[in-house]
Amino acid sequence: MVSSETIIERLREQGIRLTIQRQLVIEVLCQHNDHLLIQDVQQFLLQKGVDLNETTVYRILQWLKNLGIVSQTDLGQSGVAYQLMGEEPHHHLVCLSCGKIITVDNSLFLPLSNTLRTQFGFEPRIDHMAIFGLCSVCQQQDDSAPLSS
Ligand SMILES: [Zn+2]
Ligand SMILES: [Zn+2]
């Protein structure tokens, strides 16, 4: 696990300016290395005595996403999740009907990445993917109208 000190140090070496707010968001992400909604980040910041509005937190998270430090994933009903990029990415299958989230291994996406590289000369950044569909249980229950909720 990467510590917030390491991340902050690395950014400083790149000459990136770090406000206290940015440092605190990095700290929260390191302390709670899980799927976090913007509201979760706000909540954890409040516990540190810092009250930042949603727009500010959103902007900091976008900035971290562009730097490749944080992944952003739309998990459908569960909202948009932010998470520190780990050593090995993981991805999700999200059921549109019951909202179930299945975690899958990054190895599934390696053939796709290779195809994108060789056929399109495109270097994909597959950080944290969510693929929407219907889980096996919902397919059996809801044959007639597969994607209605
Ligand atoms: Zn995830
Ligand atoms: Zn389902």
Side-chain angles (χ1 to χ4, degrees):
M1 245 295 287
V2 188
S3 73
S4 56
E5 287 83 2
T6 311
I7 294 174
I8 290 166
E9 193 53 43
R10 232 180 264 161
L11 291 172
R12 285 222 176 94
E13 278 165 13
Q14 295 172 42
I16 291 169
R17 199 176 135 262
L18 278 154
T19 58
I20 266 294
Q21 295 181 344
R22 286 173 170 183
Q23 291 186 40
L24 284 167
V25 170
I26 294 171
E27 255 177 48
V28 163
L29 290 162
C30 289
Q31 283 163 1
H32 309 272
N33 189 14
D34 200 351
H35 294 162
L36 297 181
L37 306 176
I38 288 188
Q39 292 79 3
D40 296 328
V41 176
Q42 279 182 292
Q43 197 54 44
F44 290 130
L45 286 167
L46 265 184
Q47 288 172 15
K48 291 173 176 288
V50 182
D51 190 3
L52 294 187
N53 66 37
E54 202 171 316
T55 311
T56 306
V57 175
Y58 175 80
R59 287 210 188 107
I60 296 172
L61 289 168
Q62 293 304 311
W63 173 74
L64 288 167
K65 185 182 93 172
N66 292 338
L67 289 171
I69 293 171
V70 162
S71 64
Q72 175 186 1
T73 314
D74 182 354
L75 293 175
Q77 296 173 29
S78 305
V80 177
Y82 296 88
Q83 187 168 16
L84 215 58
M85 297 265 276
E87 313 269 293
E88 183 68 22
H90 70 272
H91 312 284
H92 302 284
L93 310 178
V94 182
C95 181
L96 286 166
S97 181
C98 69
K100 180 156 100 186
I101 298 176
I102 300 161
T103 302
V104 296
D105 204 80
N106 189 47
S107 60
L108 279 180
F109 291 85
L110 296 180
L112 171 65
S113 296
N114 279 332
T115 305
L116 294 175
R117 262 181 222 118
T118 53
Q119 287 190 17
F120 299 91
F122 186 80
E123 182 55 47
R125 209 182 99 183
I126 304 179
D127 300 344
H128 192 189
M129 282 268 289
I131 296 180
F132 293 95
L134 283 179
C135 74
S136 55
V137 177
C138 292
Q139 283 175 58
Q140 284 162 15
Q141 286 171 349
D142 199 15
D143 277 340
S144 52
L147 292 183
S148 68
S149 52

